[in-house]
Structures are given as C-alpha cells and as structure tokens.
Amino acid sequence: MIGKLWWAGILVGALVAGCGGGDDEVQDTGVLLQPVLETPNESGLADMDDPSVWVHPTDKSRSLVIAAAKRGGLRVYDLQARQVQRIDIAYDGQGEPANRFNNVDVQYDFNLQGKRVDLVVASDRLQDGLRIWQVDAASTTSPLVDITDPAIGRTFPTRPDPADRLNKTVANPNDGDNTAYGLALWRDRTNDKLYALVAQNNEAVVSMFELVAQPGGTVGMQFVQTWQFPYVFKGQDLTEESDTDPTHDFSPQFEGMVVDQQTGVLYAGQEDVGIWRVNLKTRVAEPAPFVVTTAFDPTSPIARDVEGLTIYYAAGGKGYLIASSQGQSHGEAPTLVTAGRDDTFAVFARDGNNAHLGSFALPKNTALGIDGVQECDGADVTNVALPGFPGGLLITQDGYNDDLNGLDGEEAATNLKFTPWAGVAANFPGGKLLVDTSYDPRNP
C-alpha cells in the first residue's frame, strides 16, 4: 500500500497535548500502534538495513528517508514511502560488488568551505571507509550528491591481534571483514566540528573520526580516537562460536549506535552484550554497559541481538532511547527464543540513568495490508511534526517483509515501515509516552 491516503480514518482526531514541548503526556489520539506505510520490497543483493530521516529546511513535506540497502546501494524515499533516488553500487573487475553500505546517518549545517550544507554519511563495508553525500534540498529527483574525498582512506587498516587483542594490532586486509560497520554522527557545537563514530565488524572496537572539508568541495576524514571494549564479558568468551548451540554462539561486534546531540553521549550496542555509554565530550567510556542482554541477565528487556538505536527528543532533556531487541528466534534451527523480547523495541528514559520504561512491538496493519516488523536491523525516529505525522515519525527496517518463507532465515524480501510516533506514544504498554515537537535537529 504505497502512497495512498492512509491517514484518512487513521489519524482522525490525532490532536495531541504537549505538541509545543514540555512534560505533557499525549492524550488519547485514536492512532493505532501499527505501521501505516511501507517502502517497496528489496531482495537479492539489496537487503534493506539502516534508515535515517532528513528534515527539509523550509518545506517539511519534502523531507526524506535515506536507507542503506547493503550490496544494493542506497535508497531515498519521500514521506509517502515512494522511492525518490536510487544509488547503485560499483563492481570490481571480476564483476563482484565493490560496495556494501551498512549504516547511514544524517547531520545538518556542516561548514563546507564557508557554506552550510547537510550531509548523509554511510559506512562502506567492502571499501572499509565512509561515503559522503551532500543533500541538495532543491532537487526532487537526485537530492544526494556524492562529495567523498577520493583520498579519504580506510577506517580500519589494523585490527586487534587475535593472539593478544588487548595489547597488539595486526595489519587488516581489506576483504570485507573487520571493516567499517556501525555508524553514528555527532556535531560538537562547542567547536563546530562533525564526528563519525564507526564500529569495526567482528571486533569490539569503535573509532572516532573528524569529517574534514577539503579543497574543491569534498569531505574527508581524520582519525581521532579508538575505544576497545571487552572480548570476554562476565566470563563468557565473546569470540566463541557454535553451529549447534546458540547459547554458546557469540560475537564481540557493535552495530547499532546513536549519539545524543545535546549531551554528547554515544549509545553503542554490542550486539550480544548490551548497550554501552561513551561521553564524547570527555572521551571516556563507562566501565560496563548500562543494560545487558538476556544472555547475561534473563530478566533484561533486550535480547541479543540488540540492533538499531535511535533517540526521540523532548524538551528539558526528556525523551527516549529506543533499542531494537531483534532476538534470535528466527532462521534455521537451532534458534534462541527469548519470550516477550524478540521482535520488540525497548524504550529507555533519555535522562537519568536510562531507566527501562517498557517495550512494544509493531504488529501487522490488516486494514492496509501491511505486515508487522520482525528482526529489525535499524531504526530512526524524529520528533519533528511532518505532514501526516504530526507527532513525529518512527522508521523501522523489517527483516522479513510479508513474513515470506515462514521467517526461516531466508530473507526473501526486506523493506522499511513508517509508524506515527503518536501511535507508539498513545498505545505504549508501559504507559503513555510524550509527544513533543519542540526539538529542532538543526539547532539541538
């Protein structure tokens, strides 16, 4: 159901208290907790992954959703889930894919040779680097323009030495493993610098790079710092692998990451372990995750894998950190079923110590013929009032669109689902959440 007038009958009466900010709770809107739009299917080499919302500076109706489709390239959609732009990958001399865009993020008002521009940045796993586009707000057909510095270099030319990960590194071949993976952007308003936080595939490593304007209008990067996290957690070797026992099959890697643009705190999801916090202003990582997965606490609200992380901002430091509790309940047997946590989204308070407030799932919308969300790899939420989404918009990747193949691990089709934030807020199982459109992503 693409581009139809879905809001007729669904957003009727969707007037909320607190739209201008503050601590008011959302009132009963009548909005259901269901996806109301979905993007076209992706399949084959194209596997939808991480989305990010870009808000148009003058015309909110022309805002966009940008998403990584791995070896399918990059996709750009409008607010009716229609494809606006398709950026395909390159191929090497043997006809093999030369790019794999894994995660994507948006940042506003980057100083490019004295001109303020909006950037879209993606991690490229096969090139072990970053790809950078400028957003042309005037274009309706090709809004993303590639401005990557040709000499940008690799993110991870080395990796921890398997024989002594804590003390030594070794040269890292550029073969698509141990390369650029998870990604988040942060603009430090105290020095007007823009940073990319990049996770290393298969490793417990997150590195920080400054994005730097180059002569000629391109953007490169400079290495700043690396944080190395545990390869052994609570006695469990995170490099242990097993094809027969999922309780002994682990990975140390991070993927889902998001930075609180006001506090400068990086939330980084170590998929099998939990969510860590790093203060980017002081460059100090906390000694333990603030929440662990069910692998280490059976009562935890998040199952491994923990994937996409995103923040809904509200006034006064309020709002929510949302984590995709993907779980491992689907695919070829044996699977790891975590009742009540698989295919859910855990909501944590943005302030304080990030208390868990409850969790929700995104069920199918039978009226519109849209299936629910399973094995969500990535998510993004915006509080900005957009046409059709007056309380904000939640974008989620659906790892099994239309539940094809019985969720057996063969992902025949993936896509993105669009859900009104007002529907999440009004029907949240842990109690109604805030709807607050006061935060401006251009001036956080």
Side-chain angles (χ1 to χ4, degrees), residues 108-397:
Y108 301 92
D109 295 332
F110 177 75
N111 187 351
L112 184 62
Q113 302 295 318
K115 179 184 178 182
R116 294 289 174 172
V117 302
D118 299 342
L119 298 184
V120 173
V121 181
S123 57
D124 187 340
R125 184 170 163 184
L126 291 183
Q127 291 296 315
D128 188 24
L130 301 180
R131 189 84 163 263
I132 303 167
W133 296 267
Q134 177 181 336
V135 184
D136 179 1
S139 176
T140 58
T141 58
S142 301
L144 299 195
V145 180
D146 194 336
I147 58 169
T148 310
D149 178 8
I152 193 170
R154 293 181 58 187
T155 51
F156 297 106
T158 64
R159 61 186 176 91
D161 185 345
D164 187 0
R165 289 186 174 90
L166 295 180
N167 301 300
K168 296 180 181 179
T169 60
V170 295
N172 185 30
N174 192 5
D175 58 4
D177 289 324
N178 309 94
T179 52
Y181 201 54
L183 171 77
L185 301 179
W186 175 54
R187 181 182 170 199
D188 186 348
R189 296 181 65 83
T190 64
N191 58 19
D192 197 26
K193 292 184 177 182
L194 178 59
Y195 298 97
L197 289 305
V198 187
Q200 187 172 19
N201 177 236
N202 293 328
E203 303 289 350
V205 171
V206 176
S207 290
M208 184 177 188
F209 302 86
E210 180 186 351
L211 299 186
V212 181
Q214 303 295 318
T218 62
V219 178
M221 68 180 187
Q222 292 180 351
F223 171 78
V224 176
Q225 180 171 342
T226 286
W227 292 270
Q228 183 168 299
F229 295 87
Y231 285 83
V232 177
F233 186 76
K234 293 190 174 182
Q236 173 62 53
D237 180 359
L238 300 178
T239 67
E240 180 183 12
E241 297 181 355
S242 173
D243 293 330
T244 58
D245 184 356
T247 64
H248 287 276
D249 190 26
F250 282 83
S251 170
Q253 74 185 9
F254 288 73
E255 184 175 9
M257 300 194 297
V258 67
V259 181
D260 189 314
Q261 298 298 314
Q262 292 181 329
T263 66
V265 173
L266 166 68
Y267 295 94
Q270 192 173 20
E271 294 183 2
D272 289 345
V273 175
I275 305 173
W276 297 77
R277 293 181 291 220
V278 181
N279 187 325
L280 298 180
K281 295 181 178 180
T282 63
R283 309 283 172 83
V284 175
E286 293 184 355
F290 82 86
V291 60
V292 297
T293 68
T294 51
F296 299 98
D297 178 3
T299 67
S300 172
I302 55 173
R304 54 182 177 116
D305 301 328
V306 56
E307 292 277 349
L309 301 179
T310 185
I311 292 175
Y312 186 92
Y313 293 91
K318 302 294 185 181
Y320 310 104
L321 170 69
I322 304 167
S324 170
S325 176
Q326 186 184 88
Q328 298 181 344
S329 63
H330 306 306
E332 296 180 1
T335 57
L336 186 63
V337 178
T338 314
R341 267 87 61 154
D342 300 319
D343 302 327
T344 64
F345 297 85
V347 178
F348 302 90
R350 179 176 161 236
D351 58 355
N353 200 38
N354 301 120
H356 178 240
L357 304 177
S359 300
F360 66 93
L362 290 174
K364 64 182 178 181
N365 189 327
T366 303
L368 294 179
I370 298 175
D371 65 307
V373 174
Q374 295 90 17
E375 286 203 0
C376 176
D377 279 341
D380 194 27
V381 67
T382 178
N383 73 305
V384 175
L386 300 172
F389 304 95
L393 170 62
L394 174 64
I395 306 289
T396 52
Q397 185 259 12

Side-chain angles (χ1 to χ4, degrees), residues 19 47 64 185 202 241 381 400 432:
C19 283
D47 180 7
L64 301 169
L185 301 179
N202 293 328
E241 297 181 355
V381 67
Y400 291 96
K432 293 178 181 179

